[in-house]
């Protein structure tokens, strides 16, 4: 299987990989894993390889940039409420704009639509504010907190992640999306992430979460918010997550980076590199 | 008519390792008339302040960073400090997943030694907090107050998630905000432009 890795590597440029060898990078990736990295690995191993092993630089996706700016405004709002110093709409807009100008994750190719996209993102945030005012007396337990869980005793890599918001022992994750989530499917399609967050929460607090929530901010002509409530992670869900983490580990150890052609290729930034894979 | 004047002076100072000590002194004097109040206040304030300042310099016993750990170790760890020997349960039920896997892989001491002298977070977090306080001359009382403002509990009692959040705040305070951005994944498996999660 490692030959497949080599084939992929030789057909792609590796400007972002720096001086570290492929082996060293994989060894590092075996140490820790986040839910998003695991999800990408499960979605398409070759895409994972291009992004995390070869680090092929790509322009930042506009939707990702909008999402980051909305997250920054949500964080500012939650933090201010936590400190019981609510921010004015203007101050929140300043946080949003500051995040908008941040290009540390790469420049975005806006194709002339930056102002429009910025307005869409802000409208999305305003909609959320309107539809989900945080009660004055509700203090968050955590806001965008980075935590990790040592899963060595399960023979697994360390799990790392960032919880957007923990409120009254409920884990809340914000999502910006261009389509309305399907309520039946959304719990399944985000299970790696939600289970990962539950494991992180339990390991870092010694408590079981009371539930999980996905707050989708949907970018429609008339923006809307869809909240999906989920119960605490079940034992079966945790077992599934651990199996998937095991598959990640085994796959990386074997250098198993085969492509998974499918619907997701329509928006894959590594499409050209992928076509050269053999 | 005799006028009674009571004066009190108290001072609280922070000590290493999130300890503090305080001392107060009070006196009561009798004045013959109200015109003496101002002068007496001045005199008493000086006297009390000097006395308190003189005495409070004697810090007495200051618990070290690892205070209380030996007591925990004696309960079963041969006196050797293990990686998480300084953690205690903080009253949280450690039910983990409900299927018996160890919470965070950190076996926590739970010998009831809940005197508040041990830290509830990891050794690494404790070391990081103390390093930030020392390197940036942060006021320990302010850090303690910050923990109470956010979590309603002292620094030593913070769980790992809370300690991580406090570290974020401290890093931002000293101008080194932690990089919390992460690559956000599509929020749906349906093909669509990348969106943020
Ligand atoms: S184009 Fe499809 S198969 Fe190829 S790397 Fe991208 S997602 Fe994977």
């Amino acid at each position: 299987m490692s030959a497949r890795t080599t084939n992929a590597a030789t057909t792609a440029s590796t400007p972002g990989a720096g001086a570290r060898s492929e082996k060293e990078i994989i060894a590092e990736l075996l140490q820790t894993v986040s839910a998003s990295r695991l999800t990408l690995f499960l979605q398409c191993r070759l895409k994972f390889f291009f992004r995390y092993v070869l680090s092929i630089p790509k322009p930042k996706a506009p939707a990702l940039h909008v999402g980051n700016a909305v997250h920054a405004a949500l964080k500012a709002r939650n933090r201010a409420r936590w400190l019981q110093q609510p921010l004015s709409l203007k101050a929140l807009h300043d946080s949003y704009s500051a995040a908008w100008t941040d290009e540390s994750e790469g420049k975005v190719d806006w194709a002339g639509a930056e102002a429009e996209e910025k307005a869409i993102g802000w409208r999305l945030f305003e909609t959320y504010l309107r539809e989900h005012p945080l009660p004055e007396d509700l203090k968050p337990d955590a806001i965008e907190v980075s935590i990790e869980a040592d899963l060595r005793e399960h023979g697994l890599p360390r799990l790392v992640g960032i919880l957007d918001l923990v409120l009254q022992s409920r884990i809340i994750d914000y999502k910006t999306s261009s389509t309305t989530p399907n309520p039946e499917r959304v719990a399944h399609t985000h299970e790696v992430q939600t289970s990962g967050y539950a494991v992180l929460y339990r390991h870092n607090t010694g408590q079981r979460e009371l539930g999980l929530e996905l707050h989708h901010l949907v970018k429609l002509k008339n923006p809307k918010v869809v909240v999906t409530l989920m119960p605490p992670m079940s034992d079966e869900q945790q077992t599934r997550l651990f199996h998937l983490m095991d598959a990640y580990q085994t796959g990386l150890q074997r250098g198993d980076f085969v492509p998974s052609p499918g619907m997701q290729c329509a928006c894959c930034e590594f499409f050209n590199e992928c076509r050269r894979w053999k | 008519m005799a006028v009674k004047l009571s004066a009190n002076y108290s001072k609280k100072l922070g000590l290493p390792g999130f300890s503090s000590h305080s001392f107060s002194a009070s006196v009561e004097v009798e004045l013959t008339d109200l015109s003496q109040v101002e002068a007496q206040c001045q005199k008493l304030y000086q006297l009390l302040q000097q006395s308190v300042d003189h005495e409070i310099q004697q810090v007495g016993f200051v618990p070290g960073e690892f205070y209380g750990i030996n007591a925990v170790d004696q309960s079963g760890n041969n006196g050797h400090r293990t990686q998480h020997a300084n953690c205690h349960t903080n009253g949280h039920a450690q039910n983990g997943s409900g299927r018996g896997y160890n919470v965070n892989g950190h076996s926590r001491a739970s010998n009831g030694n809940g005197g508040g002298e041990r830290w509830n977070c990891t050794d690494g977090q404790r070391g990081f907090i103390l390093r930030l306080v020392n390197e940036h001359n942060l006021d320990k009382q302010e850090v303690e107050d910050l923990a109470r403002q956010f979590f309603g509990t002292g620094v030593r009692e913070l769980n790992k998630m809370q300690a991580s959040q406090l570290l974020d705040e401290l890093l931002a305070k000293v101008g080194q905000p932690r990089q919390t951005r992460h690559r956000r994944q599509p929020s749906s498996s349906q093909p669509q432009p990348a969106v943020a999660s």
Side-chain angles (χ1 to χ4, degrees), chain A residues 44 46-47 50 259-262 264-265 268 270-271 274:
Chain A
C44 176
L46 185 57
K47 189 172 174 181
F50 287 145
S260 303
Q264 73 274 12
C265 302
C268 178
F270 301 109
F271 185 82
C274 180

Side-chain angles (χ1 to χ4, degrees), chain B residues 12 14 17-20 116 119 129 133 138-158 166 170:
Chain B
K12 183 175 183 182
F18 293 95
S19 298
S20 66
W119 291 59
I129 292 171
V133 167
L138 298 178
D139 182 341
K140 290 187 197 76
Q141 192 55 48
E142 253 182 58
V143 177
E144 184 74 12
D145 291 346
L146 196 64
R148 292 196 180 279
Q149 183 182 14
F150 274 95
F151 310 107
T153 189
V155 174
R156 286 162 186 259
E157 284 78 40
L158 299 181
L166 179 73
L170 295 181

Side-chain angles (χ1 to χ4, degrees), chain A residues 150-171:
Chain A
D150 187 343
L151 300 176
R152 257 178 309 184
E153 67 173 335
H154 300 280
L156 296 171
R158 195 165 66 237
L159 184 65
V160 297
I162 299 172
L163 306 188
D164 281 346
L165 176 66
V166 184
L167 195 64
Q168 310 254 288
S169 303
R170 297 186 67 80
I171 303 168

